[in-house]
Amino acid sequence: MTETDEDIQSPRRPERSPGAKFLLVLLTGFLLAIPLFASWLLIYDRQNQSEQAEQSIVTGWGGQQVFAGPKIVLPYKAKVQESVEQDGKTVTRTNVVTRELYVSPEVMSFDSDIQTEVKSRSIYEVVIYNTNVTGSASFKLPEDFDRSGIDRADIDFARAEIRFGLSDARGLSADNKLTVDGQSLVLQPGKGLGETGNTGFFAWLDATALAEGEMAVNFDVKFRGTESLTMVPDAGQTNWSVTSQWPHPSFTGGFLPDNEVSDAGFTAKYGISNLALGSSLTSTQAGQQVYPQASSRPYSSYDGGAGSPSSVTVNLIQPVDLYDQVSRATKYGFLFIGFTFVAFLLFDLIGGVRISSVQYILVGVALVLFFILLLAFAEIIGFALAYVVASVGIIGLITAYAASVLSSWRRASIIGGLLAALYGVIYILLSLEAYSLLIGSLLIFAALAGVMFVTRRLDWSRTLQRGPAT
């Protein structure tokens, strides 16, 4: 039997409708959310590794420092009643216990000169500093002290202490000085303040003069730290002046300073009263622990709780946090995938080029790979140059692949131009943080309007018939 031409010819194969193709492409895009989310997790992991590396760099140097004090601590006798069971009866006993009275200065003024340095190991960098805190404080029992319920006769002024708080005492340098009414005192380790987790240093003090008069305290303290310096105001009037040659400060906390920032450094001046703090100059309770007010790092492993609103922090931030920028770029991943897939889909539906789901997936994987390349290069050469290198590589890869898939370099050049424009717009969005939402919304609106116009006459439910490949 002789085969006819009709027998040899392959039958026409029905294709999915445009609507079905669109839903399939949409599903493919959603599936690519898995590797996109995995790339975000990789950024998170690299951020944690960076912070661990920073911690290893500054081990033994001193962490994010919190400075508090000085305060005079006075031991006093207090009567405490307790009820106990004795012979089946409740007996009330009165015991005499020793407690501590914390006295804050009426006025405290001090200056801090922060000398910074960037320390690095491999690809990681961290800002460290040395600071010299010099100041004075005047102490006096409040005029209404008798209303506190503590009898002055019960206070042992001769066994007083003057305490300073420093959150990481490892950073303390030598040659620290403390004088009270002109008399030098010997500083001792330990016995800090509650605001710094009871770490710091102190000196024994005969505070008899405080019973009826004033005491003048002068101090000169040198210590080292990393990235930030937090001060805890706790005086009737606290005046803090801080200067540094670091040109990128960030001021956080419960109060903002008068400040001047330039390329040569910054100066900041705080003036805080205890009326604004809502605290008394005397207290029988240790202060609540204060933590540094974090800067804008999105993945910071330091979590000290809700930081006290009565503290102020000067953060010595890096001008560009590459992990923050890469993370923000990753959030635009769906725009890259969506715009590119729409372009391929239009060539499929209108241009007559059949594109399989596997080809969509390969293109999507290439788009996700951009963020991995961006992260890898950014750690070595910086974000801006890494963005150019990664985008050029991915644009070239997808354009070359599109030339084969679309059987036309002219069509592939349209895909390449679209990607180049998209990468350029996204970079602008990353730079213009304040207007990123507006520009992004307008971009999506323009893309949607274009797709609606091009496909306005397309029958989304019609099943396509396409001849066999020769």
Side-chain angles (χ1 to χ4, degrees), residues 84-318:
V84 297
E85 293 290 337
Q86 183 175 344
D87 297 331
K89 297 181 180 180
T90 301
V91 179
T92 300
R93 294 179 178 177
T94 300
N95 297 324
V96 178
V97 297
T98 300
R99 290 183 172 175
E100 293 181 334
L101 175 66
Y102 296 85
V103 181
S104 300
E106 284 194 323
V107 179
M108 179 171 65
S109 301
F110 60 104
D111 303 324
S112 301
D113 181 23
I114 302 176
Q115 300 294 326
T116 59
E117 177 185 350
V118 177
K119 208 169 183 180
S120 62
R121 178 180 298 171
S122 183
I123 62 174
Y124 303 107
E125 294 182 345
V126 62
V127 182
I128 61 175
Y129 64 84
N130 284 278
T131 186
N132 186 18
V133 179
T134 58
S136 61
S138 60
F139 289 85
K140 181 182 179 182
L141 291 180
E143 299 292 339
D144 59 350
F145 178 74
D146 293 334
R147 292 177 174 231
S148 65
I150 300 175
D151 193 336
R152 298 184 188 223
D154 293 330
I155 301 176
D156 191 350
F157 289 95
R159 296 181 59 247
E161 299 171 2
I162 183 167
R163 297 181 186 175
F164 292 81
L166 189 66
S167 58
D168 192 346
R170 295 175 303 170
L172 277 170
S173 303
D175 194 28
N176 297 304
K177 300 176 182 179
L178 173 65
T179 62
V180 177
D181 290 336
Q183 179 182 358
S184 296
L185 301 181
V186 179
L187 294 174
Q188 307 287 342
K191 283 192 177 182
L193 295 172
E195 290 86 344
T196 58
N198 296 316
T199 61
F201 53 96
F202 77 105
W204 303 109
L205 172 67
D206 184 351
T208 304
L210 190 63
E212 299 297 339
E214 297 185 6
M215 300 187 72
V217 175
N218 293 276
F219 55 92
D220 186 348
V221 180
K222 303 178 179 66
F223 57 87
R224 304 173 301 189
T226 304
E227 293 186 333
S228 71
L229 173 59
T230 298
M231 186 272 295
V232 185
D234 195 6
Q237 178 66 34
T238 302
N239 302 308
W240 182 31
S241 176
V242 56
T243 60
S244 176
Q245 83 278 17
W246 187 255
H248 307 290
S250 173
F251 305 104
T252 56
F255 303 90
L256 295 179
D258 296 326
N259 64 86
E260 295 182 2
V261 181
S262 67
D263 292 338
F266 71 90
T267 61
K269 294 183 179 180
Y270 292 87
I272 305 169
S273 72
N274 71 323
L275 293 178
L277 296 172
S279 61
S280 172
L281 297 184
T282 59
S283 175
T284 58
Q285 302 292 328
Q288 182 182 2
Q289 187 168 359
V290 171
Y291 299 93
Q293 299 283 338
S295 57
S296 59
R297 304 186 73 171
Y299 307 117
S300 179
S301 61
Y302 182 88
D303 184 10
S308 169
S310 61
S311 66
V312 292
T313 299
V314 177
N315 291 291
L316 308 172
I317 63 174
Q318 295 279 18

Side-chain angles (χ1 to χ4, degrees), residues 19-35:
K21 284 178 174 287
F22 175 77
L23 292 177
L24 186 60
V25 171
L26 188 63
L27 176 61
T28 304
F30 278 119
L31 289 177
L32 287 171
I34 298 174

Side-chain angles (χ1 to χ4, degrees), residues 337-361:
I337 296 172
F339 276 68
T340 307
F341 277 17
V342 165
F344 275 98
L345 183 62
L346 291 178
F347 279 120
D348 189 343
L349 298 179
I350 299 176
V353 180
R354 187 171 185 176
I355 303 174
S356 71
S357 300
V358 174
Q359 291 167 327
Y360 279 108
I361 292 175

Side-chain angles (χ1 to χ4, degrees), residues 446-469:
L448 178 61
V451 172
M452 292 173 68
F453 177 79
V454 172
T455 62
R456 67 190 185 281
R457 300 185 185 279
L458 184 65
D459 185 355
W460 291 94
S461 61
R462 178 175 58 88
T463 300
L464 300 176
Q465 295 289 335
R466 191 167 294 175

Side-chain angles (χ1 to χ4, degrees), residues 5 22 63 137 145-146 227 259 312 332 353 368 373 376 388 405 415 445 449:
D5 293 340
F22 175 77
F145 178 74
D146 293 334
E227 293 186 333
N259 64 86
V312 292
Y332 292 104
V353 180
V368 173
L373 293 175
V388 174
V405 172
I415 297 293
F445 176 83

